[in-house]
């Protein structure tokens, strides 16, 4: 049986693309931060930092360095409690690793911690949350601390204006690069990695059952979205012959997106997520690949 492809958001793929393609890593950082940065000279995936012997260590998904700054980029595919304190600990671990004994604090490089989250971790509906330290009594007072934390909410990509950040988050959410240059280049790198069958098999084995099931649910959602989009386009083109081809295509695309999202969410959300929450991982795995069994389970949910 042919094994599935990995998504960019899955950590083995994310790590590989960012580490092998430092140019894409740099473009991603510039897109997220909204500013140019110096050339990325070093990217290390799964970098382990331990502030001191016996202390709790951290493993960074992707750590990148430029001549004057250090960047940590984390891909988070499901919600975890305590994100704020987690970022605080990551910051401390990074700072400790950057400063050797006897060196002035002025030598600490600027640092940026970026979490790309598939869900909204703070519930405010924002696509981007940026955290910086400010004086509560006077906004004009600069602390000069030299770090910024950013949390991206991929699920709210549609709230962003047209541009590369919207295109990037849209690609992560839907696996559809569209006409965005950065997303398209990442998609090419992802396809090349998936073509490496030996690596792909090993990478899939690295995923936990929960991670794999969540990805299977997202693939089902994408399949539903694409099916609905195709059907909507066909319906729109048929109607467009009567009312005008351009109007028909536009309406068909809109109907396709709506229908596809509804179908995908019904399958991936109502079934895969509920099975996983119930700890029924084997059922979830079978439902992800067996259409008849999936329909049987969906009928069962409808009767309950």
């Amino acid at each position: 049986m042919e094994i599935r492809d990995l998504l960019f958001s899955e950590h083995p793929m994310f790590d590989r693309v960012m580490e092998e393609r430092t140019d894409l890593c740099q473009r991603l950082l510039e897109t997220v931060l909204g500013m140019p940065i110096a050339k990325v000279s070093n990217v290390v995936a799964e970098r382990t930092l331990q502030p001191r012997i016996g202390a709790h260590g951290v493993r960074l998904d992707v750590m990148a360095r430029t001549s004057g700054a250090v960047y940590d980029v984390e891909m988070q595919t499901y919600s975890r409690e305590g994100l704020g304190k987690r970022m605080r600990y990551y910051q401390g671990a990074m700072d400790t690793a950057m400063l050797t004994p006897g060196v002035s604090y002025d030598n600490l490089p600027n640092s940026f911690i970026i979490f790309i989250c598939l869900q909204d971790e703070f519930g405010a509906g924002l696509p981007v949350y940026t955290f910086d330290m400010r004086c509560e009594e006077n906004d004009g007072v600069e602390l000069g601390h030299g770090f910024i934390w950013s949390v991206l909410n991929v699920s709210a990509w549609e709230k962003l204006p047209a541009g590369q950040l919207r295109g990037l988050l849209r690609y992560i959410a839907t696996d559809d690069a569209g006409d965005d240059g950065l997303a398209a280049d990442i998609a090419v790198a992802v396809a090349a990695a998936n073509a490496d069958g030996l690596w792909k098999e090993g990478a899939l084995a690295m995923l936990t059952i929960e991670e794999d099931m969540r990805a299977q649910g997202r693939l089902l959602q994408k399949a539903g979205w694409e099916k609905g989009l195709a059907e909507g386009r066909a319906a729109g083109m048929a109607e467009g012959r009567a009312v005008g081809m351009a109007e028909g295509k536009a309406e068909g695309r809109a109907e396709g997106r709506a229908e596809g999202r509804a179908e995908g969410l019904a399958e991936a959300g109502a079934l895969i997520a509920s099975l996983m929450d119930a700890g029924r991982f084997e059922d979830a795995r079978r439902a992800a690949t067996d259409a008849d069994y999936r329909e049987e389970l969906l009928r069962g949910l409808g009767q309950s």
Side-chain angles (χ1 to χ4, degrees):
M1 183 178 67
E2 184 179 357
I3 60 176
R4 69 171 179 86
D5 287 344
L6 277 87
L7 302 167
F8 177 59
S9 58
E10 293 180 280
H11 66 83
M13 179 64 76
F14 180 70
D15 293 350
R16 172 169 172 159
V17 172
M18 293 292 96
E19 191 170 37
E20 287 189 351
R21 294 290 305 275
T22 57
D23 59 319
L24 292 180
C25 182
Q26 178 165 345
R27 289 167 62 190
L28 182 144
L29 290 171
E30 291 178 335
T31 295
V32 171
L33 298 174
M35 63 181 188
I37 65 173
K39 183 178 180 180
V40 172
S41 58
N42 185 39
V43 178
V44 179
E46 300 296 323
R47 170 72 184 275
T48 299
L49 300 177
Q50 192 167 17
R52 66 179 187 279
I53 296 176
H56 181 82
V58 299
R59 186 172 63 185
L60 309 182
D61 283 355
V62 172
M63 187 173 183
R65 296 203 65 174
T66 65
S67 58
V70 61
Y71 306 82
D72 168 38
V73 189
E74 302 289 321
M75 181 68 76
Q76 183 164 296
T77 57
Y78 56 94
S79 295
R80 299 180 185 178
E81 294 184 358
L83 179 59
K85 288 190 175 179
R86 186 178 171 202
M87 297 178 82
R88 169 184 163 187
Y89 195 81
Y90 279 29
Q91 184 67 62
M94 290 171 61
D95 288 344
T96 302
M98 293 298 107
L99 207 61
T100 55
V103 176
S104 168
Y105 295 120
D106 291 336
N107 290 299
L108 271 176
N110 291 333
S111 63
F112 300 84
I113 298 179
I114 300 166
F115 271 71
I116 304 174
C117 302
L118 300 192
Q119 297 86 17
D120 186 352
E121 294 297 317
F122 303 107
L126 299 175
V128 180
Y129 299 88
T130 303
F131 299 96
D132 197 357
M133 294 186 68
R134 290 285 184 269
C135 177
E136 292 187 3
E137 292 76 14
N138 186 336
D139 286 343
V141 175
E142 294 289 338
L143 181 60
H145 51 290
F147 67 83
I148 292 178
W149 301 348
S150 294
V151 179
L152 307 184
N153 170 21
V154 170
S155 67
W157 67 267
E158 292 175 296
K159 294 184 179 180
L160 287 167
Q164 281 204 329
L165 183 57
R166 177 186 171 98
L168 174 65
L169 298 196
R170 177 181 184 271
Y171 169 62
I172 296 172
T174 68
D175 201 36
D176 182 0
D179 58 359
D180 179 75
L182 173 59
D185 289 344
I186 292 175
V188 170
V190 168
N194 276 318
D196 183 346
L198 187 62
W199 173 84
K200 183 168 68 170
E201 186 174 359
L204 285 169
M206 292 171 59
L207 299 175
T208 65
I209 293 177
E210 183 176 5
E211 289 171 333
D212 187 42
M213 289 301 96
R214 290 181 186 277
Q216 295 278 17
R218 290 183 63 206
L219 288 169
L220 280 174
Q221 182 176 348
K222 181 195 174 196
W225 182 84
E226 289 176 341
K227 178 181 177 183
L229 180 58
E231 292 175 352
R233 280 176 174 160
M237 290 180 69
E239 184 176 348
R241 293 187 181 95
V243 298
M245 187 65 73
E247 182 180 348
K249 285 183 178 179
E251 187 170 338
R253 290 190 181 97
E255 290 176 358
R257 290 190 182 98
E259 184 179 343
R261 284 175 185 147
E263 183 176 343
L265 287 173
E267 291 182 333
L271 183 59
I272 299 296
S274 64
L275 290 172
M276 290 179 60
D277 290 342
R280 297 170 57 185
F281 296 116
E282 289 303 318
D283 286 336
R285 183 184 296 277
R286 182 178 173 188
T289 57
D290 188 330
D292 292 337
Y293 187 60
R294 185 164 62 248
E295 289 300 322
E296 179 184 334
L297 290 175
L298 285 170
R299 285 195 298 270
L301 287 174
Q303 294 171 2
S304 60

